[in-house]
PDB file of all heavy atoms in Angstrom:
ATOM      1  N   LEU A 110     -21.364  32.129  49.257  1.00  0.00           N
ATOM      2  CA  LEU A 110     -22.113  33.036  50.141  1.00  0.00           C
ATOM      3  C   LEU A 110     -21.366  33.235  51.454  1.00  0.00           C
ATOM      4  O   LEU A 110     -21.295  34.343  51.983  1.00  0.00           O
ATOM      5  CB  LEU A 110     -23.520  32.475  50.414  1.00  0.00           C
ATOM      6  CG  LEU A 110     -24.490  32.557  49.234  1.00  0.00           C
ATOM      7  CD1 LEU A 110     -25.744  31.747  49.511  1.00  0.00           C
ATOM      8  CD2 LEU A 110     -24.850  34.011  48.941  1.00  0.00           C
ATOM      9  N   GLU A 111     -20.807  32.139  51.971  1.00  0.00           N
ATOM     10  CA  GLU A 111     -20.062  32.206  53.220  1.00  0.00           C
ATOM     11  C   GLU A 111     -18.838  33.123  53.058  1.00  0.00           C
ATOM     12  O   GLU A 111     -18.526  33.918  53.943  1.00  0.00           O
ATOM     13  CB  GLU A 111     -19.619  30.787  53.604  1.00  0.00           C
ATOM     14  CG  GLU A 111     -19.119  30.651  55.029  1.00  0.00           C
ATOM     15  CD  GLU A 111     -18.687  29.221  55.356  1.00  0.00           C
ATOM     16  OE1 GLU A 111     -18.867  28.326  54.507  1.00  0.00           O
ATOM     17  OE2 GLU A 111     -18.173  29.016  56.469  1.00  0.00           O
ATOM     18  N   LEU A 112     -18.172  33.015  51.899  1.00  0.00           N
ATOM     19  CA  LEU A 112     -16.983  33.838  51.657  1.00  0.00           C
ATOM     20  C   LEU A 112     -17.339  35.314  51.476  1.00  0.00           C
ATOM     21  O   LEU A 112     -16.651  36.194  51.980  1.00  0.00           O
ATOM     22  CB  LEU A 112     -16.239  33.325  50.420  1.00  0.00           C
ATOM     23  CG  LEU A 112     -15.499  32.007  50.588  1.00  0.00           C
ATOM     24  CD1 LEU A 112     -15.103  31.436  49.239  1.00  0.00           C
ATOM     25  CD2 LEU A 112     -14.268  32.196  51.466  1.00  0.00           C
ATOM     26  N   ILE A 113     -18.426  35.572  50.738  1.00  0.00           N
ATOM     27  CA  ILE A 113     -18.832  36.960  50.500  1.00  0.00           C
ATOM     28  C   ILE A 113     -19.166  37.631  51.829  1.00  0.00           C
ATOM     29  O   ILE A 113     -18.858  38.808  52.037  1.00  0.00           O
ATOM     30  CB  ILE A 113     -20.023  37.003  49.518  1.00  0.00           C
ATOM     31  CG1 ILE A 113     -19.559  36.564  48.133  1.00  0.00           C
ATOM     32  CG2 ILE A 113     -20.631  38.407  49.457  1.00  0.00           C
ATOM     33  CD1 ILE A 113     -20.680  36.279  47.149  1.00  0.00           C
ATOM     34  N   ALA A 114     -19.752  36.865  52.759  1.00  0.00           N
ATOM     35  CA  ALA A 114     -20.123  37.416  54.060  1.00  0.00           C
ATOM     36  C   ALA A 114     -18.893  37.860  54.866  1.00  0.00           C
ATOM     37  O   ALA A 114     -19.034  38.580  55.858  1.00  0.00           O
ATOM     38  CB  ALA A 114     -20.919  36.379  54.854  1.00  0.00           C
ATOM     39  N   GLN A 115     -17.682  37.459  54.434  1.00  0.00           N
ATOM     40  CA  GLN A 115     -16.478  37.850  55.161  1.00  0.00           C
ATOM     41  C   GLN A 115     -16.111  39.312  54.932  1.00  0.00           C
ATOM     42  O   GLN A 115     -15.237  39.848  55.594  1.00  0.00           O
ATOM     43  CB  GLN A 115     -15.281  36.950  54.778  1.00  0.00           C
ATOM     44  CG  GLN A 115     -15.535  35.468  54.958  1.00  0.00           C
ATOM     45  CD  GLN A 115     -16.055  35.127  56.344  1.00  0.00           C
ATOM     46  OE1 GLN A 115     -15.540  35.591  57.347  1.00  0.00           O
ATOM     47  NE2 GLN A 115     -17.120  34.336  56.395  1.00  0.00           N
ATOM     48  N   GLY A 116     -16.764  39.939  53.935  1.00  0.00           N
ATOM     49  CA  GLY A 116     -16.624  41.381  53.764  1.00  0.00           C
ATOM     50  C   GLY A 116     -15.384  41.855  53.027  1.00  0.00           C
ATOM     51  O   GLY A 116     -15.159  43.057  52.908  1.00  0.00           O
ATOM     52  N   LEU A 117     -14.537  40.939  52.526  1.00  0.00           N
ATOM     53  CA  LEU A 117     -13.375  41.370  51.736  1.00  0.00           C
ATOM     54  C   LEU A 117     -13.854  41.774  50.338  1.00  0.00           C
ATOM     55  O   LEU A 117     -14.857  41.251  49.857  1.00  0.00           O
ATOM     56  CB  LEU A 117     -12.369  40.215  51.615  1.00  0.00           C
ATOM     57  CG  LEU A 117     -11.564  39.876  52.860  1.00  0.00           C
ATOM     58  CD1 LEU A 117     -10.850  38.542  52.670  1.00  0.00           C
ATOM     59  CD2 LEU A 117     -10.551  40.974  53.147  1.00  0.00           C
ATOM     60  N   PRO A 118     -13.123  42.684  49.675  1.00  0.00           N
ATOM     61  CA  PRO A 118     -13.456  42.973  48.277  1.00  0.00           C
ATOM     62  C   PRO A 118     -13.438  41.664  47.499  1.00  0.00           C
ATOM     63  O   PRO A 118     -12.494  40.888  47.620  1.00  0.00           O
ATOM     64  CB  PRO A 118     -12.322  43.894  47.830  1.00  0.00           C
ATOM     65  CG  PRO A 118     -11.780  44.494  49.082  1.00  0.00           C
ATOM     66  CD  PRO A 118     -11.979  43.476  50.155  1.00  0.00           C
ATOM     67  N   THR A 119     -14.480  41.389  46.738  1.00  0.00           N
ATOM     68  CA  THR A 119     -14.632  40.069  46.138  1.00  0.00           C
ATOM     69  C   THR A 119     -15.098  40.146  44.692  1.00  0.00           C
ATOM     70  O   THR A 119     -15.951  40.963  44.355  1.00  0.00           O
ATOM     71  CB  THR A 119     -15.666  39.256  46.938  1.00  0.00           C
ATOM     72  OG1 THR A 119     -15.201  39.106  48.278  1.00  0.00           O
ATOM     73  CG2 THR A 119     -15.881  37.884  46.336  1.00  0.00           C
ATOM     74  N   VAL A 120     -14.500  39.306  43.840  1.00  0.00           N
ATOM     75  CA  VAL A 120     -14.988  39.126  42.481  1.00  0.00           C
ATOM     76  C   VAL A 120     -15.239  37.634  42.300  1.00  0.00           C
ATOM     77  O   VAL A 120     -14.467  36.808  42.787  1.00  0.00           O
ATOM     78  CB  VAL A 120     -13.949  39.606  41.438  1.00  0.00           C
ATOM     79  CG1 VAL A 120     -14.440  39.353  40.031  1.00  0.00           C
ATOM     80  CG2 VAL A 120     -13.622  41.065  41.644  1.00  0.00           C
ATOM     81  N   VAL A 121     -16.341  37.295  41.629  1.00  0.00           N
ATOM     82  CA  VAL A 121     -16.628  35.890  41.383  1.00  0.00           C
ATOM     83  C   VAL A 121     -16.232  35.543  39.956  1.00  0.00           C
ATOM     84  O   VAL A 121     -16.588  36.262  39.015  1.00  0.00           O
ATOM     85  CB  VAL A 121     -18.127  35.585  41.613  1.00  0.00           C
ATOM     86  CG1 VAL A 121     -18.492  34.227  41.046  1.00  0.00           C
ATOM     87  CG2 VAL A 121     -18.450  35.660  43.097  1.00  0.00           C
ATOM     88  N   ALA A 122     -15.458  34.471  39.803  1.00  0.00           N
ATOM     89  CA  ALA A 122     -15.151  33.943  38.473  1.00  0.00           C
ATOM     90  C   ALA A 122     -16.094  32.767  38.229  1.00  0.00           C
ATOM     91  O   ALA A 122     -15.969  31.731  38.885  1.00  0.00           O
ATOM     92  CB  ALA A 122     -13.697  33.509  38.393  1.00  0.00           C
ATOM     93  N   LEU A 123     -17.025  32.960  37.331  1.00  0.00           N
ATOM     94  CA  LEU A 123     -17.947  31.874  36.985  1.00  0.00           C
ATOM     95  C   LEU A 123     -17.229  31.015  35.959  1.00  0.00           C
ATOM     96  O   LEU A 123     -17.276  31.271  34.759  1.00  0.00           O
ATOM     97  CB  LEU A 123     -19.249  32.466  36.432  1.00  0.00           C
ATOM     98  CG  LEU A 123     -20.407  31.504  36.228  1.00  0.00           C
ATOM     99  CD1 LEU A 123     -20.809  30.825  37.517  1.00  0.00           C
ATOM    100  CD2 LEU A 123     -21.596  32.225  35.628  1.00  0.00           C
ATOM    101  N   ASN A 124     -16.543  29.993  36.463  1.00  0.00           N
ATOM    102  CA  ASN A 124     -15.582  29.262  35.638  1.00  0.00           C
ATOM    103  C   ASN A 124     -16.219  28.058  34.942  1.00  0.00           C
ATOM    104  O   ASN A 124     -17.280  27.591  35.345  1.00  0.00           O
ATOM    105  CB  ASN A 124     -14.412  28.808  36.531  1.00  0.00           C
ATOM    106  CG  ASN A 124     -13.202  28.429  35.722  1.00  0.00           C
ATOM    107  OD1 ASN A 124     -13.011  28.890  34.604  1.00  0.00           O
ATOM    108  ND2 ASN A 124     -12.365  27.553  36.280  1.00  0.00           N
ATOM    109  N   MET A 125     -15.548  27.565  33.947  1.00  0.00           N
ATOM    110  CA  MET A 125     -15.953  26.370  33.194  1.00  0.00           C
ATOM    111  C   MET A 125     -17.349  26.528  32.584  1.00  0.00           C
ATOM    112  O   MET A 125     -18.126  25.572  32.542  1.00  0.00           O
ATOM    113  CB  MET A 125     -15.907  25.125  34.102  1.00  0.00           C
ATOM    114  CG  MET A 125     -14.567  24.974  34.826  1.00  0.00           C
ATOM    115  SD  MET A 125     -14.130  23.290  35.215  1.00  0.00           S
ATOM    116  CE  MET A 125     -14.878  23.075  36.792  1.00  0.00           C
ATOM    117  N   VAL A 126     -17.655  27.765  32.105  1.00  0.00           N
ATOM    118  CA  VAL A 126     -18.971  27.952  31.480  1.00  0.00           C
ATOM    119  C   VAL A 126     -19.111  27.105  30.224  1.00  0.00           C
ATOM    120  O   VAL A 126     -20.212  26.699  29.866  1.00  0.00           O
ATOM    121  CB  VAL A 126     -19.248  29.441  31.150  1.00  0.00           C
ATOM    122  CG1 VAL A 126     -19.659  30.191  32.392  1.00  0.00           C
ATOM    123  CG2 VAL A 126     -18.059  30.093  30.491  1.00  0.00           C
ATOM    124  N   ASP A 127     -17.973  26.795  29.588  1.00  0.00           N
ATOM    125  CA  ASP A 127     -18.051  25.966  28.373  1.00  0.00           C
ATOM    126  C   ASP A 127     -18.514  24.550  28.691  1.00  0.00           C
ATOM    127  O   ASP A 127     -19.332  23.974  27.983  1.00  0.00           O
ATOM    128  CB  ASP A 127     -16.698  25.944  27.650  1.00  0.00           C
ATOM    129  CG  ASP A 127     -15.580  25.385  28.513  1.00  0.00           C
ATOM    130  OD1 ASP A 127     -15.679  25.506  29.752  1.00  0.00           O
ATOM    131  OD2 ASP A 127     -14.604  24.831  27.959  1.00  0.00           O
ATOM    132  N   LEU A 128     -18.008  24.002  29.810  1.00  0.00           N
ATOM    133  CA  LEU A 128     -18.412  22.648  30.200  1.00  0.00           C
ATOM    134  C   LEU A 128     -19.882  22.623  30.585  1.00  0.00           C
ATOM    135  O   LEU A 128     -20.606  21.675  30.275  1.00  0.00           O
ATOM    136  CB  LEU A 128     -17.580  22.149  31.394  1.00  0.00           C
ATOM    137  CG  LEU A 128     -16.162  21.699  31.094  1.00  0.00           C
ATOM    138  CD1 LEU A 128     -15.539  21.108  32.354  1.00  0.00           C
ATOM    139  CD2 LEU A 128     -16.169  20.657  29.991  1.00  0.00           C
TER     140      LEU A 128
END
Side-chain angles (χ1 to χ4, degrees):
Chain A
L110 287 169
E111 194 180 355
L112 288 166
I113 292 168
Q115 305 308 314
L117 287 168
T119 299
V120 177
V121 166
L123 189 59
N124 197 25
M125 308 209 271
V126 281
D127 60 332
L128 283 186

